[in-house]
Each structure stands twice: as C-alpha cells, then as structure tokens.
C-alpha cells in the first residue's frame, strides 16, 4: 500500500495526509467526533467490490455509524432507490463551500461539523475540495474512505486494492454498535 | 467612424489671410462620430470603472477556493508555502494567490483571443483595406457589434474602426496582467474584479475577430440555415491527398482553400480541420470537413489520414511535429505564435520549400505568408500522398496482444490518466486476446497521451486504444451546422419578450473544449434534452462538434433534428471560439433591441438587466483552457451563470451563492425603491457539476430569474421539478424559495406544492422590477 497520490500530479506541499494503516484508526476518530458528516460522490454507483456497489457498503456503514450522509450530484436518487434517506443532498461544491464557513450550523442547524468524511467523488474533484478545506477550514478534520491516497485530507487510506477497500469498509461498519446491518 | 494617422503637408498656400509655407500637420486620429446614441457612463472602462458592479456580484457569489497547489513559485522570494493561512514573502495569502491565478488564466485567455483578433484584422486590412465595411448580417443585423458598442462606446463601421477597439483591449489586457506581478494587487476580491475585467475584454476581442472575418471572408451572415457540414473521420476521402489544419486562425486555411480552388483541385483534395479552425474553414468553404474536437489530434495523425499538417494557433498539441514526423507527414507552422522550432522559409521560393518537404529533407517549415502556405501545402499534399501511402503507426491487433504481454501492471498509466481509465485491466485482457476493454476506452479517452509518457516499457497505449476503436473511428460520419455567426435583430425581437418574461424557459449555451469526463455523448444528451423542452440551445467550438456527433433514433443529428433559428427549441451553432461573443451579444441585444435599454458605453445597466431578466446559462462541460476561463469571466461580469463539468473544478475557484442566507438575495424594486427578496435566482455564478444528471437539474434551476412573470416562473419551475424528480427522485427541497405567489405554482402540481409551501411556512411576496443598481430606482423612498 502506497501513500503517494493516486493521480500522480496531485501532490501536496508541506502538509499531507496521515495514513490510516488500519480501519480502527478511522473508527476511533469518527467515534471521537461530535458532529461528523459523510459526503458521498457519484462514483458510489460506479465502483464495484466483491459484486456489490460502493453505495451499498456506504449505506451499511452509515446505518451502523449513524453518521449523517450528504449525497452529491444525483446520488440522492440512488440512495432512495435503495431505501436509505440521506440527511441532505447538494452539489459537491456547495457542501465544500459550507464547510469552509464557520458560521454554517450543519444540516440540522445544531452546529458546524468537526469531521468530514469523503468517499466516491471523482479523484481530482475530491482532491481539490480537500485542498480547499485544508486551507480554509483549519478546525475541520477530514478523512477519506476511498481506497486511494488523498494527500490534502487530514487522514487518508493508502492506495489499496478493491479487496482491501471492501475489507476496510466492512471492518469499519462492524466496529459500530449494532455491527453490519 | 474614425480616421487614423492623418498627415497633411503644405509646401506653399496662398489664402486671403496670408501665405502658408512648409506646413506639416499630423493628427493621430479624426473622430467622425455619426452615431446618434448618446455616450453612456462607462465607455472604455479602466481596471476599476466597473469595480463596484463586480463587488455587488462577488458579495453575493463569494469565491470558494480549492488551491491546486499549496505553494507560490512565481518569484525568487519563493517558493513560499501558503498552506492554511500562511502568507508568503510578498505578503500574499492563499486566497489572493488563488484569485491571482484566475486573473492570470483570464488574462492569458483574453490576450490569446485579442492577439488572434489583431492578426486577423491586420491581415484583412492589408488585403481588403481599412474602409472595408463591417457586415455581419446585412439588413438583418443592425447592431453589428453589441459587445464592442457596450464596452467601448464605438460603433465599428469599417475594418479600420476595429483597430481602435483592439488598441483599447490590448491596453487593458496589459494592465490586467501587470496587476498579477508580485507586489501589486493584494486582495482576493480585487483580483477577481480584474479577472472579470479581463473576461469582458476577451468578449470584445473575440467579437472583433469574428466580425472582421465574417465581413470579409463571406462566412454565413447570421444565417439560421447555414450549410450542414460533413463531420467525422469517416467522412474524409483518404484516397485523395488530405491537408489537415489544426488550431483557431483561419487565415492560413484561406490561403490553402483559395490556392486549391484556383488550381482546379477542389474535387481532388480534402481539406479537413480539427478544433476551431475546422469551423472557420467550413464557414469559408462548405466542402471542407470537420474531423472533430481538439482531443482527436493524435487519433487522426497516428491513423495516418493526414498527408500535410498545417498548424496555426491555440490548442495545438505542442509535440505535433514529433507525431507528424512519425507518420512522415510534413508540417507547416503558419503562426508567429507557434513556430515549432522550424526554420522560417517565408521568403524562399515555394517550389524549393515543396521539394524539401516532399523529399523529407526537412520535417517541417515555418511560413508566415498565408498565400505561400496555401501553395506549399497543396503542392506538397499532391506530391507526397502517393509516396506516403497513408502511412500510419497504429499497431495491428496481434501486435497489441503481443506487446500487452510486456505490461508490468504497474498502474502508472491509470494513475497518470486524467480520466482514471482502467488501462492496466484492459491491457491484461488484451494479453488474453480480448480487445473489448481497450475498445471501451476509446470513447472516454481525451487523447492526452500521458499514459505513454509514464509507461516504463514504452507501450504506445494511446495507439492501442485508437486501434481498438478503429471501427468506431472510421464510422464517424455526422453532420454539423456551419457556424452561423451572430443572432439576427429580428430573431431577438421575436423572442425578447418570452425570454424576459420567462415563457421561453431559458437559453442554454453549450460551449468550450472537449475535456469531457465520459466522452461527448453527455453534451449531445444535454443539448437534446433542453431543445426538446423548448429552451434555446446555442453551441460553439468543440462542444458544437460533440453535439453533432451522435444521432437520434431516426438517424438524425441534432442539427438536422432541430431548427438553427434563435427560437424556442432551436439548436444553433454560432461557430468557433471567437464566435462565443455572439452568445453574449444576443443577451446584450435582448436588453437593447427588445427592452430599448441604451447600449453605448452602458455596461453596468445592461449587465444588471441581463442578470435579473435573461435566463441564460453557459455550460462548458469539457472546458480545459485559459481561453475557456476568460470566456466564462466575460459571462460572469454580465451576470450570466456558468457551469463546468467535473474537470472544470481544476479552475480551482467557484463563485457560489448561498440559498440558505436570505440576506444575500435582495434586490431593489425599481418601481418603488423597496428591497425585495427574490430567492436564489440565479443561485450560482460559477459552479462545477459532477454528472450530466446534476448538470441538467442545475441548468433548469439557473435559468430562473427575478423578473419572470408568474407564467414564466411556472414554466421554469415545471422543468426544474420534472428534472429534479427524474434524476434525484424527490421534489426540490428549495422549491419554496422560488415561489413568489401561488400563480407561480405549476397547475398540475398545485396540491403537492401547496402542501410543501405550508410545511415550509412560505409567505407570498411580490414580483419586483429587479435591479441591483440604486440609480435605476425610478421612485426614491423618502
């Protein structure tokens, strides 16, 4: 597993993501967060692991962890088709823009998120949004749940195989109360 | 009309008042201002003239920065690390640095179009004279240069008048660029304002270039029925010598076409083009052919189709000389801006140059005389075609299978691919004789060749993909409407009212390059969706090609299926990059011709009108270039929202409204002076969309304007709701923000929407006469 940017030119400068070498690290940070959100992009229906789409793994994880989901692009319809209602939906740019605004009180109006999890956006878009958050939302922690290393996140999994990705997501899901549903 | 450089010399003259001897008088310019329209408040605006207007927009649509690089390395203080609030040695922070990069991109774009315009105008003046009249549509187009009139206050009547306009543009671009120097501007919003300025100047430069060439080269003149042009690699008759022109500047191509016709070779050769030169070739000569968008350069060259390659300017692959040499196709570089390292042979006899190119003594030449380019290109193509025998470098399938076995599966090709294409998996399948996965990559490949650059075993991966997709390539036989140029004044009169009242739900301009996330079909689908919904769909550049590259169930392309008139349900191609100015021009003409708003030097009022009343949206689904950035900036300053596809996020700065902040959405009601909340209309000024589904929903929403009548708003909401439900599966959650009175609610959804409004605590408001400009208020509040 490599901690080089998946797309070779997406390098960061002096501040790059800490690697998540095992899913328990990500789980601990999510459990520690007071107001996490999970942003899910359009690759959620494009990526397949072990015969299941990424979005199905995400639904399992979101149900178990109770982390509210923000669906970008047209993904809200895909979640609804699968019987899961995300907490919100908006464009990837809009959620990024809200996250850099400290006065934004979150989807429920009760407070600004302190942890933003990302998964399933086109790599370069996710990299850019994470860069924006790194620079302009210094109090926000970011984690990517992709199998591709994102240097602009606070924490990122290294580049990994689809099998490793599936395993990580399943382990993370199982670590929350109620386990995988 | 102005006359330049008047020089009077009198050796001796006797008059009733005395004797004049040896009088010399030089006058830089004589201004004959016969335009009756009074000059508006802002002719030839400087960097700061429209700053207040810009700030109104920028306070509503605040920049969201996504730095592509954490560092600044533009001066020798650096590199400076600007991460997370740190300032560099010059004092700049990452926000200002990001907007500085936007300014640089827009200045480069504006300089490129204006440089193009300068070359075209100088050349055409040399050929046709300064007094050659501007004519872009005969009696159908009285407002011949709406952008130029609006920005500069000049009504150009002759080619010579365009020189004055260009001098203004060149000055402003210099100022814009200078503001990006270290230690000049320091505030991010001021950088943004200057980027808007560069974009506005870019619109002028583009308009100058296009009206000059339309006026002289017999291009279609605002013609809704401009000819349908053959498009696609499959339309090229490769049994004939093929001259391939790449770039944006038609001047060398005119030399080629003229020489070919004068030599009686019109039926015996093929002149084909890639990128915007293709459009302007076909506007000049409707038997020229369009190969395709910019991303197909390598495909066509490696496929061996071109016998001679002529390069002009902009968006040309800078390694084209290497690629052409591999297939023994001589290259003629024909632009001062793009010499490609070749020896300047402009002053050599044509036949000597031809002999050197045909024999292979030199791989390419620089020729800066377009007539000589024509003679040399035609003669070389004729002589070399039988010798080349269409040499190509595409491998055979069995070679691909064998070579694929050397692949190390290192993934570097995929990791270097902008599309993240699964090349390693496709190569693995190829080793087992299964070429289908490689073929599947053909549509999505943007032809950058980065995969080959990183391959440790030097596999020609792009050639593999092209070979695997060869069947599709040679079946590409489509039709594209030749660029029609401007929109007629009478067309504006016909649609002005329904556009402003909202009864035509919107104008969708699909423009820009071919850096698509998943091939060009998305462009076709989006255009067709909105044409069927009776929006006005305008196309230009490579997007116009992609829009015409797919067919409906009846085998018709978009340009055959829909009218080319500027009307509801029309799909009209204005032409090349520089023809984008006609799209801005159409919006400006709605304000001027339909609404009778004064045009001359009256930018702020016209932009305010367009922003609040003309439901236009730009979509640059595959935008990649600095020119695309400046084109977008020109629309931003007019208050027209622009969407870009996912790769457009790399412009690294969005201009986003916040629908959750009601205080951002107030306008003045010009009738009363009251402040009225108009909801997020339009919600954004510059926004990246991730998928075509998201683009369609966003387009429908961004066409909503404060001025819509209840009937217009109802129509617009119908489309927004329908697309939202289709692609998102639910009603729009922000619907209540767009309903002002119950009359706005689409009749067929009244019960459902009424329940939503009640749940949201919705309250009725008024439909204002909207303006952001206090000076437009007719009745001041006490």
């Amino acid at each position: 597993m490599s901690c080089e940017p998946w797309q070779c030119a997406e390098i960061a400068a002096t501040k790059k993501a800490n690697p998540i070498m095992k899913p328990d690290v990500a789980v601990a940070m999510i459990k520690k967060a007071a107001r996490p959100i999970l942003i899910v992009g359009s690759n959620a229906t494009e990526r397949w692991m072990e015969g299941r789409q990424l979005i199905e793994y995400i639904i399992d994880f979101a149900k178990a962890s109770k982390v509210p989901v923000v669906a970008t692009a047209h993904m809200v319809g895909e979640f609804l088709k699968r019987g899961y209602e995300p907490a919100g939906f908006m464009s990837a740019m809009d959620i990024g823009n809200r996250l850099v605004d400290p006065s934004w009180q979150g989807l429920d109006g009760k407070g600004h998120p302190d942890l933003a999890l990302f998964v399933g956006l086109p790599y370069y878009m996710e990299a850019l949004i994470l860069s924006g958050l790194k620079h302009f939302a210094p109090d926000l922690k970011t984690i990517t749940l992709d199998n591709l290393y994102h240097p602009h996140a606070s924490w990122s999994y290294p580049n990994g195989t689809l099998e490793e990705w599936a395993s990580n997501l399943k382990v993370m899901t199982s670590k929350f109360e109620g386990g995988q549903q | 009309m102005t006359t330049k450089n008047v020089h009077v010399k009198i050796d001796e003259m006797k008059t009733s008042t005395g004797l004049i001897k040896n009088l010399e008088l030089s006058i830089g310019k004589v201004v004959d201002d016969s335009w009756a329209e009074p000059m508006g408040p802002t002719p030839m605006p400087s960097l700061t003239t429209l700053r207040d207007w810009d700030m109104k927009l920028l306070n509503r649509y605040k920049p969201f920065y996504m730095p592509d690089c954490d560092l600044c390395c533009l001066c020798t203080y650096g590199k400076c690390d600007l991460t997370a609030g740190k300032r560099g040695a010059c004092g700049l922070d990452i926000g200002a640095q990001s907007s500085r990069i936007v300014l640089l991109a827009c200045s480069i774009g504006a300089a490129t179009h204006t440089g193009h315009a300068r070359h075209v105008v100088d050349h055409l003046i040399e050929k046709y004279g300064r007094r050659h009249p501007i004519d872009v549509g005969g009696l159908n187009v009285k407002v011949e240069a709406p952008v130029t009139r609006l920005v500069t206050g000049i009504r150009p009547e002759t080619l010579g008048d365009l020189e004055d306009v260009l001098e203004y543009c060149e000055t402003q671009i210099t100022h814009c660029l200078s503001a990006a120097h270290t230690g000049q501007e320091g505030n991010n919003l001021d950088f943004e304002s200057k980027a808007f300025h560069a974009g506005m100047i870019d619109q002028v430069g583009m308009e100058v270039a296009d009206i000059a060439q339309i006026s002289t080269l017999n291009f279609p003149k605002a013609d809704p029925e401009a000819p349908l042009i053959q498009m696609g690699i499959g339309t090229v008759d490769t049994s004939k010598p093929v001259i391939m022109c790449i770039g944006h500047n038609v001047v060398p191509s005119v030399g080629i076409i003229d020489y070919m016709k004068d030599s009686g070779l019109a039926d015996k050769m093929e002149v084909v083009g890639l990128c915007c030169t293709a459009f302007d070739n076909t506007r000049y000569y409707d038997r020229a052919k369009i190969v395709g968008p910019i991303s197909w350069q390598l495909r066509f060259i490696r496929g061996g189709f071109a016998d001679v390659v002529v390069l002009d300017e902009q968006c040309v692959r800078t390694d084209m000389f290497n690629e052409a040499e591999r297939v023994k196709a001589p290259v003629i570089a024909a632009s001062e801006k793009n010499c490609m390292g070749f020896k300047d042979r402009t002053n050599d006899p044509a036949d000597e140059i031809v002999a050197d190119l045909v024999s292979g003594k030199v791989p390419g030449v620089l020729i800066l005389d377009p007539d000589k380019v024509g003679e040399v290109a035609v003669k070389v193509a004729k002589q070399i075609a039988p010798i080349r025998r269409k040499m190509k470098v595409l491998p055979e399938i069995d070679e691909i299978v064998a070579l694929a076995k050397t692949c190390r599966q290192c993934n570097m090709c995929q990791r270097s691919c902008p599309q993240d294409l699964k090349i390693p998996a496709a190569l693995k399948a190829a080793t087992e004789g299964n070429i289908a996965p490689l073929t599947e990559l053909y549509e999505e490949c943007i032809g950058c060749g980065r995969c080959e650059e990183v391959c440790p075993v030097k596999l020609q991966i792009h050639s593999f993909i092209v070979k695997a997709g060869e069947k599709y390539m040679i079946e590409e036989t489509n039709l594209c409407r030749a660029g029609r140029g401007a929109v007629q004044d009478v067309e504006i009169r016909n649609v002005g009212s329904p556009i402003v009242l909202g009864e035509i739900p919107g104008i969708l301009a699909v423009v820009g390059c071919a850096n698509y996330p998943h091939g060009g079909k998305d462009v076709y689908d989006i255009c067709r969706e909105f044409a069927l919904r009776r929006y006005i769909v305008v196309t230009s550049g490579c997007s116009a090609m992609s829009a015409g590259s797919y067919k409906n169930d009846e085998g018709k392309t978009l340009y055959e299926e829909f009218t080319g008139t500027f009307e509801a349900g029309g799909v009209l191609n204005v032409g090349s990059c520089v023809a984008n100015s006609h799209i801005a021009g159409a919006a400006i003409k709605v304000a001027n011709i339909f609404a009778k708003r004064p045009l001359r030097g009256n930018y702020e009022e016209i932009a305010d009108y367009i922003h609040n009343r003309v439901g236009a949206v730009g979509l640059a689904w595959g935008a990649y270039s600095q020119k695309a950035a400046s084109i977008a900036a020109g629309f931003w300053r007019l208050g027209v929202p622009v969407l870009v596809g996912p790769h457009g996020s790399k412009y690294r700065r969005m201009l986003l409204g916040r629908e959750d902040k009601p205080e951002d959405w107030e306008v003045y009601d010009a009738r009363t002076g009251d402040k009225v909340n108009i909801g997020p209309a339009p919600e954004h000024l510059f926004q990246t969309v991730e998928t075509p589904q998201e683009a369609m929903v966003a387009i429908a929403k961004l066409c909503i304007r404060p001025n819509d009548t209840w009937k217009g708003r109802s129509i617009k909401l119908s489309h927004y709701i329908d697309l939202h439900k289709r692609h998102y599966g639910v009603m729009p959650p922000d619907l209540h923000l767009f309903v002002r009175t119950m009359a706005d609610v689409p009749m067929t959804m009244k019960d459902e929407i009424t329940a939503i409004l009640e749940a949201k605590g919705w309250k009725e408001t008024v439909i204002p006469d909207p303006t952001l400009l206090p000076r437009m208020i007719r009745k001041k509040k006490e």
Side-chain angles (χ1 to χ4, degrees), chain B residues 126-340:
Chain B
E126 194 180 318
K127 201 159 182 176
Y128 298 92
R130 279 199 171 77
R131 289 168 179 259
H132 189 92
I134 299 298
D135 175 11
V136 300
L139 295 174
N140 293 321
V141 182
K142 290 270 179 62
V143 183
E144 74 303 303
V147 183
T148 301
R149 286 186 181 202
L150 176 68
V151 175
T152 66
I154 293 173
R155 181 180 64 173
E157 293 178 280
T158 65
L159 285 181
D161 293 343
L162 298 178
E163 291 186 299
D164 296 335
V165 179
L166 285 177
E167 279 175 19
Y168 163 70
C169 293
E170 288 156 353
T171 303
Q172 295 307 307
I173 292 166
T174 305
H175 287 318
C176 285
L177 193 55
S178 72
H181 189 275
T182 304
Q184 297 261 40
E185 197 55 82
N187 177 273
N188 68 313
L189 293 185
D190 271 314
F191 274 121
E192 299 290 353
S193 170
K194 288 172 173 63
F196 283 22
H197 192 65
M200 179 192 71
I201 298 300
D202 182 57
Q203 295 278 4
V204 180
M206 289 192 295
E207 185 174 81
V208 167
D210 212 40
I211 65 176
Q213 58 187 12
I214 290 170
S215 299
T216 50
L217 299 177
N218 202 28
F219 284 9
K221 288 182 163 48
D223 182 4
E225 295 178 2
L228 288 167
I229 301 297
Q230 290 193 64
M231 179 171 69
I233 290 174
T235 66
V236 181
D237 182 352
T238 52
S239 68
K240 297 175 181 174
V242 177
I243 300 173
M244 177 197 193
C245 306
I246 308 176
H248 286 71
N249 190 326
V250 75
V251 169
S253 297
V254 167
I256 294 166
I257 292 164
D258 285 351
Y259 189 85
M260 188 180 71
K261 289 203 283 194
D262 293 346
S263 310
L265 295 168
D267 294 332
K268 299 182 178 65
M269 306 188 84
E270 290 274 46
V271 177
V272 304
L274 265 154
C275 211
C276 285
T277 288
F279 269 135
D280 287 343
N281 285 3
T282 58
R283 293 165 91 185
Y284 183 66
Y285 176 57
D286 63 13
R287 287 164 64 186
K289 289 171 183 168
I290 300 169
V291 168
I294 173 180
S295 49
W296 292 9
Q297 292 182 54
L298 287 187
R299 267 180 212 187
F300 198 75
I301 294 284
R302 291 190 182 180
F305 302 109
D307 292 307
V308 176
V309 180
V310 179
L311 309 177
D312 52 83
E313 59 173 292
Q314 305 165 44
C315 302
V316 177
R317 276 195 71 99
T318 50
D319 60 352
M320 193 45 74
F321 56 95
N322 281 339
E323 290 290 337
E325 194 169 4
R326 291 174 64 194
V327 292
K328 306 294 180 203
V331 176
I332 301 172
S335 167
E336 285 180 325
K337 294 163 202 150
N338 184 15
C339 300
M340 290 278 170

Side-chain angles (χ1 to χ4, degrees), chain B residues 4-5 99 102 104 110 168 187 396 410 441 499 520 596 607 619 664 717 772:
Chain B
K4 291 193 64 178
N5 302 322
S99 49
V102 173
L104 280 170
Y168 163 70
N187 177 273
E396 296 304 323
C410 68
L441 304 182
I499 287 173
K596 310 252 184 285
L619 172 67
D664 287 353
L717 286 179
L772 295 174

Side-chain angles (χ1 to χ4, degrees), chain B residues 334-351:
Chain B
S335 167
E336 285 180 325
K337 294 163 202 150
N338 184 15
C339 300
M340 290 278 170
F342 295 135
K343 187 177 179 189
D344 186 353
R345 304 287 297 271
T346 307
N347 297 317
D348 290 356
D351 288 332

